[in-house]
Amino acid sequence: MVKKAAGIERKKADMTKLIAGIAILLLFNYIGSFVFFRLDLTAEKRYSLSEPTKKLVEELDDIIFFKVYLEGEFPAGFKRLRRETLEMLNEFRAYSKGGNIAYEFINPSKSSDQEERDQIYRQLFKQGLRPTDLEIQDDDGLSKKIIWPGAIVSYKDREVPLDLLQNKLGSSPEEVLNSSIENLEYALSSSILKLTKPEKPRIGFIIGHGELDTYQTADIAATLSEFYSLERVRLDQKIHSLTSREELNGRIVVKNKYAAIVIAKPDSAFSEKDKFVIDQYIMNGGSVLWLVDPIMAEMDSLTRADLTMGVAQNLNLDDQLFTYGVRLNSDLVMDVQSAMIPLPVGMLGNQPRYELFPWYYFPLLNPSPGNSITKNLNVIKGEFTSTIDFVGNDSLKKQVLLHTSPYTKLAYSPVRISLGITRLEPQKEQYNKSNLPTAVLIEGKFNSVFRGRLTQRFMSGKEIQFKETGKLAKMIVIADGDIIKNHVRNDGQVLPLGVDRYTRQEYGNKDFIINAINYLCGEEELMASRSRSIKIRLLDQTKVVSERTAYQLFNMVAPVALVLLFALAFNYYRKKKYT
């Protein structure tokens, strides 16, 4: 009787615990319906969006739809890219209000009809996606497969292509995939921003001093025009070329017309009045991308002879840039890490035979990994590049963006440039300079180059509104004007910026310029997502092969043994409790 009563009490206690547990779960579920939170337990916080990205997706007023062409049978690396893309899209959707992030994963090679597949491929290519050829090892040997690692992103009546796979010269497939995964948040956010930005900021390309023409900047202009409104601006010594003046409460207020201006490879001197216009634009918080060649040297001269001279240019900008904190040096970089050019080595019949040789005057510049502008970029191709020094004004924030390799030599103006150098092995004791700066970022309050040089009457004029010390501003100075220049073929076809016309290798020039403009125009918060770093945790392939059988046996036996052990322990516990 006593045992029966104890059993009833125990059942009541168990039932009470069960009901209490269910009630607690229901309570947590009810509270969770009002409180939104997510936990990211990964070391790199790979599933945590940056605050600007969260704000971007929260403010969407309509559906952004991603058609992702990463469905099908892929190698393990691309399966990982697909999985990470899916998880990142789910993260975007979790923070969007009203489910304004939608997606679909599509296999463009699903059809067994070759003609239908080719038609789909042509359509994707026309929309802006680029395919990747893979060699896949299967039971029948190696087989080739075309995949489209990208997406078409649509919003209302607009759509843009999105490449999910980054091409990085000299990187292993694992590093390329890891870099692409690191870049996912930035890539997805940029595509959304491109589609939803209500008004495009204005970018001014300065002309009138021999700057690059519309053909030479056609590719970067086409890309930037998706984000910005581009204008070619001739200063003509007019004070109001870059700024506007409005009267407010009896005083003149100066405003900049452009979010940033670009000075791309001028070849003639700036007048003092044009310098004053640019100076006051900067003093009012304007951003400038300077791409200046201190040394005049062109490959066209070497098509007519094996020898040419590189001489210093007088652009009348040295004092202005010096005041802003930088000095462009009258030298040329010669780097063992360089691009290739074709040179004749003999005749094949009645046609000349060409081979590729390293051209040390075309350095492949290394991006600094610690900056959001250059994070995860491929090497940048330079042409007759010079070096930069930081000078004066320690209150400014100064950072190196691009630098040479550890095997660099400097040639000082005037420079004798000969094609014969391609046939000589570089001497280590000569190429002994390392990591020389060629592009820099400067931020802060700049001093005017005209400070102390103007009359009091001119400085106090209401129309001029001269400022000796400026508002917070940013500028990027690059000692190579060709970094923004695309090649134009004789038939008028424009090659993409950064694509080598001889080897067809793609360098990081375009991404670098886009990131630079984004940063100068105030998109640096969104670019913070570029700083995401994910550690590659790869298997030791040698160990996998040698210990494969042991791992397979462990994976088969260990789960069964664990279940049996748990069953024996549970049975022992019940016997001891109820006996």
Side-chain angles (χ1 to χ4, degrees):
M1 199 66 184
V2 174
K3 288 184 178 181
K4 186 176 180 181
I8 293 172
E9 289 297 323
R10 190 163 52 245
K11 288 182 179 179
K12 287 182 178 180
D14 291 341
M15 186 63 68
T16 303
K17 290 179 181 178
L18 177 63
I19 294 172
I22 293 173
I24 291 172
L25 286 175
L26 290 174
L27 179 62
F28 273 112
N29 190 52
Y30 178 74
I31 294 174
S33 64
F34 297 99
V35 179
F36 174 75
F37 70 95
R38 297 171 74 82
L39 295 177
D40 185 354
L41 303 180
T42 58
E44 306 94 345
K45 300 299 178 184
R46 67 175 65 186
Y47 305 116
S48 298
L49 300 182
S50 63
E51 290 303 320
T53 301
K54 291 177 184 177
K55 183 179 179 182
L56 179 66
V57 296
E58 285 174 358
E59 294 177 350
L60 289 175
D61 61 353
D62 206 340
I63 293 176
I64 296 278
F65 192 78
F66 293 82
K67 288 184 179 179
V68 186
Y69 295 93
L70 273 176
E71 191 67 48
E73 292 298 323
F74 301 136
F78 282 91
K79 288 181 180 178
R80 178 175 169 232
L81 178 61
R82 180 198 181 280
R83 182 178 66 252
E84 296 284 353
T85 303
L86 174 63
E87 290 172 347
M88 186 61 70
L89 286 171
N90 283 333
E91 193 73 11
F92 273 54
R93 184 165 61 179
Y95 284 97
S96 67
K97 295 180 180 179
N100 281 331
I101 297 291
Y103 60 82
E104 177 185 8
F105 280 77
I106 300 170
N107 181 2
S109 305
K110 181 179 180 180
S111 175
S112 58
D113 186 350
Q114 181 66 42
E115 185 177 343
E116 184 177 347
R117 286 203 305 271
D118 290 343
Q119 185 177 355
I120 294 173
Y121 294 165
R122 285 193 294 270
Q123 179 62 29
L124 292 178
F125 191 86
K126 185 178 179 181
Q127 289 178 288
L129 295 185
R130 296 296 178 262
T132 297
D133 294 331
L134 288 180
E135 287 189 349
I136 299 176
Q137 180 73 45
D138 52 27
D139 296 336
D140 299 326
L142 285 175
S143 61
K144 287 192 175 181
K145 187 182 181 79
I146 297 177
I147 68 169
W148 297 79
I152 300 297
V153 190
S154 56
Y155 172 75
K156 296 181 179 178
D157 58 346
R158 302 176 62 198
E159 68 177 27
V160 294
L162 170 62
D163 287 325
L164 297 172
L165 184 67
Q166 290 189 328
N167 292 317
K168 297 189 71 176
L169 181 65
S171 300
S172 66
E174 291 85 1
E175 290 172 333
V176 169
L177 285 166
N178 194 71
S179 176
S180 301
I181 291 168
E182 287 180 343
N183 197 55
L184 272 177
E185 181 186 340
Y186 177 76
L188 297 175
S189 301
S190 295
S191 64
I192 295 174
L193 189 66
K194 190 186 301 184
L195 289 168
T196 59
K197 186 177 289 188
E199 184 177 350
K200 295 181 179 180
R202 298 167 70 188
I203 303 292
F205 276 72
I206 304 302
I207 60 174
H209 314 89
E211 290 88 354
L212 298 176
D213 60 32
T214 54
Y215 294 102
Q216 295 167 319
T217 58
D219 186 64
I220 192 63
T223 304
L224 290 174
S225 62
E226 298 176 356
F227 297 92
Y228 304 99
S229 176
L230 306 184
E231 299 178 19
R232 296 180 68 81
V233 184
R234 188 180 297 274
L235 300 181
D236 280 341
Q237 305 182 21
K238 296 178 181 176
I239 293 176
H240 306 307
S241 300
L242 302 177
T243 56
S244 61
R245 283 152 177 77
E246 300 175 4
E247 186 171 347
L248 183 64
N249 298 327
R251 55 189 293 266
I252 301 295
V253 178
V254 180
K255 293 183 179 179
N256 287 331
K257 296 179 182 178
Y258 301 96
I261 60 173
V262 179
I263 301 174
K265 198 179 178 181
D267 64 9
S268 57
F270 282 68
S271 68
E272 291 299 312
K273 290 184 178 180
D274 281 354
K275 288 168 60 178
F276 181 84
V277 173
I278 296 171
D279 178 83
Q280 290 303 292
Y281 167 79
I282 295 170
M283 294 306 108
N284 282 286
S287 299
V288 186
L289 176 59
W290 302 86
L291 297 110
V292 179
D293 281 341
I295 300 290
M296 170 62 75
E298 296 291 343
M299 284 300 293
D300 292 343
S301 302
L302 291 170
T303 61
R304 297 182 292 271
D306 288 347
L307 178 68
T308 188
M309 295 296 294
V311 296
Q313 293 199 94
N314 179 22
L315 301 176
N316 194 27
L317 292 174
D318 291 346
D319 60 335
Q320 188 162 9
L321 292 173
F322 194 94
T323 304
Y324 299 153
V326 293
R327 178 178 58 224
L328 302 186
N329 297 316
S330 296
D331 55 32
L332 283 183
V333 168
M334 299 176 66
D335 202 318
V336 174
Q337 179 179 287
S338 58
M340 313 279 279
I341 61 171
L343 294 175
V345 294
M347 299 295 291
L348 187 62
N350 59 352
Q351 297 293 326
R353 183 168 63 89
Y354 289 87
E355 288 184 8
L356 291 173
F357 292 88
W359 183 232
Y360 307 127
Y361 292 102
F362 282 8
L364 300 182
L365 305 170
N366 296 317
S368 298
N371 191 284
S372 60
I373 298 174
T374 49
K375 178 74 173 178
N376 291 333
L377 289 188
N378 198 355
V379 293
I380 313 299
K381 181 187 175 185
E383 297 184 9
F384 299 115
T385 307
S386 300
T387 62
I388 297 177
D389 290 333
F390 290 125
V391 293
N393 203 340
D394 295 333
S395 65
L396 298 172
K397 181 182 178 182
K398 304 172 184 178
Q399 300 177 65
V400 175
L401 298 180
L402 301 179
H403 57 83
T404 65
S405 81
Y407 308 102
T408 305
K409 174 184 175 182
L410 292 180
Y412 297 95
S413 173
V415 185
R416 184 177 181 271
I417 303 170
S418 172
L419 292 175
I421 198 173
T422 58
R423 294 173 174 84
L424 301 176
E425 286 293 327
Q427 301 298 313
K428 185 176 180 180
E429 59 272 14
Q430 294 182 357
Y431 291 81
N432 57 3
K433 298 185 183 297
S434 176
N435 303 327
L436 301 177
T438 58
V440 298
L441 166 68
I442 318 168
E443 301 175 86
K445 294 182 178 181
F446 297 92
N447 293 323
S448 171
V449 67
F450 293 94
R451 186 176 185 177
R453 294 170 53 183
L454 303 175
T455 64
Q456 186 63 37
R457 179 181 178 184
F458 184 86
M459 291 170 58
S460 60
K462 291 184 178 181
E463 183 67 17
I464 302 299
Q465 292 288 301
F466 174 73
K467 288 183 172 63
E468 288 189 343
T469 302
K471 303 176 182 177
L472 286 173
K474 295 174 283 190
M475 64 174 67
I476 293 173
V477 184
I478 306 171
D480 186 349
D482 292 297
I483 282 179
I484 199 174
K485 177 183 175 182
N486 56 251
H487 178 68
V488 183
R489 291 174 36 170
N490 293 333
D491 59 2
Q493 181 181 350
V494 173
L495 289 184
L497 177 60
V499 173
D500 190 285
R501 56 175 161 163
Y502 304 121
T503 64
R504 296 294 173 172
Q505 291 179 331
E506 185 172 354
Y507 300 103
N509 296 46
K510 181 187 284 190
D511 289 334
F512 173 60
I513 296 297
I514 291 172
N515 288 352
I517 292 293
N518 286 344
Y519 190 88
L520 293 175
C521 291
E523 302 292 349
E524 66 271 18
E525 292 184 354
L526 181 59
M527 291 177 61
S529 59
R530 289 191 65 92
S531 62
R532 179 184 301 275
S533 296
I534 301 174
K535 185 178 179 181
I536 304 178
R537 297 180 175 89
L538 302 175
L539 296 176
D540 186 333
Q541 295 299 327
T542 304
K543 192 174 182 180
V544 167
V545 172
S546 62
E547 302 178 14
R548 179 177 180 178
T549 304
Y551 282 115
Q552 288 176 333
L553 287 173
F554 177 81
N555 287 333
M556 288 188 295
V557 173
V560 177
L562 189 63
V563 171
L564 290 175
L565 183 64
F566 176 78
L568 290 173
F570 184 71
N571 189 49
Y572 173 78
Y573 169 77
R574 284 181 59 83
K575 282 184 177 181
K576 187 175 181 181
K577 182 176 181 179
Y578 295 109
T579 299

